[in-house]
């Protein structure tokens, strides 16, 4: 049985670093190992992606309990409109 996500847009937080991940300057196409895997999954499950560049910040836990960087964006469900 194939899951059809009906072109739902999934946001993907990433950190540039070939050979794993790179995104073009328009932010609409990923390359590298993870980019190709994501593209294959998107085609198979019928979804689109938008990318959130975390600017080489994986994230750290701050003393107030909040996360920074990539983990913070995922944890806080940051969307593209707020960047």
């Amino acid at each position: 049985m194939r899951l059809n996500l009906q072109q739902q847009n999934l946001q993907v937080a990433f950190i540039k670093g070939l050979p794993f991940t790179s995104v073009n300057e328009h932010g609409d196409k990923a390359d590298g190992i993870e980019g190709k895997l994501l593209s294959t999954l998107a085609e198979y499950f019928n979804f689109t992606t938008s990318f959130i560049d975390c600017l080489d910040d994986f994230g750290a836990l701050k003393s107030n309990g909040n996360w920074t960087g990539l983990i913070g964006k995922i944890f806080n469900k940051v969307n593209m409109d707020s960047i």
Side-chain angles (χ1 to χ4, degrees):
M1 185 169 133
R2 185 179 212 174
L3 179 64
N4 183 356
L5 295 176
Q6 301 174 353
Q7 288 295 302
Q8 182 177 4
N9 186 53
L10 303 179
Q11 296 177 342
V12 178
F14 75 97
I15 293 178
K16 290 180 187 177
L18 287 175
F20 303 107
T21 308
S22 179
V23 175
N24 68 2
E25 65 259 4
H26 303 292
D28 60 356
K29 184 172 187 306
D31 199 9
I33 297 165
E34 293 169 348
K36 290 177 183 179
L37 174 61
L38 188 58
S39 176
T40 300
L41 292 172
E43 183 179 326
Y44 186 81
F45 291 112
N46 190 27
F47 66 86
T48 62
T49 54
S50 55
F51 297 95
I52 301 170
D53 189 349
C54 293
L55 305 172
D56 295 328
D57 183 7
F58 285 100
L61 182 60
K62 296 166 66 175
S63 60
N64 64 4
N66 291 326
W67 284 91
T68 63
L70 184 141
I71 295 172
K73 291 183 187 311
I74 293 170
F75 188 84
N76 297 313
K77 298 180 183 175
V78 171
N79 63 37
M80 293 296 286
D81 298 331
S82 66
I83 296 176

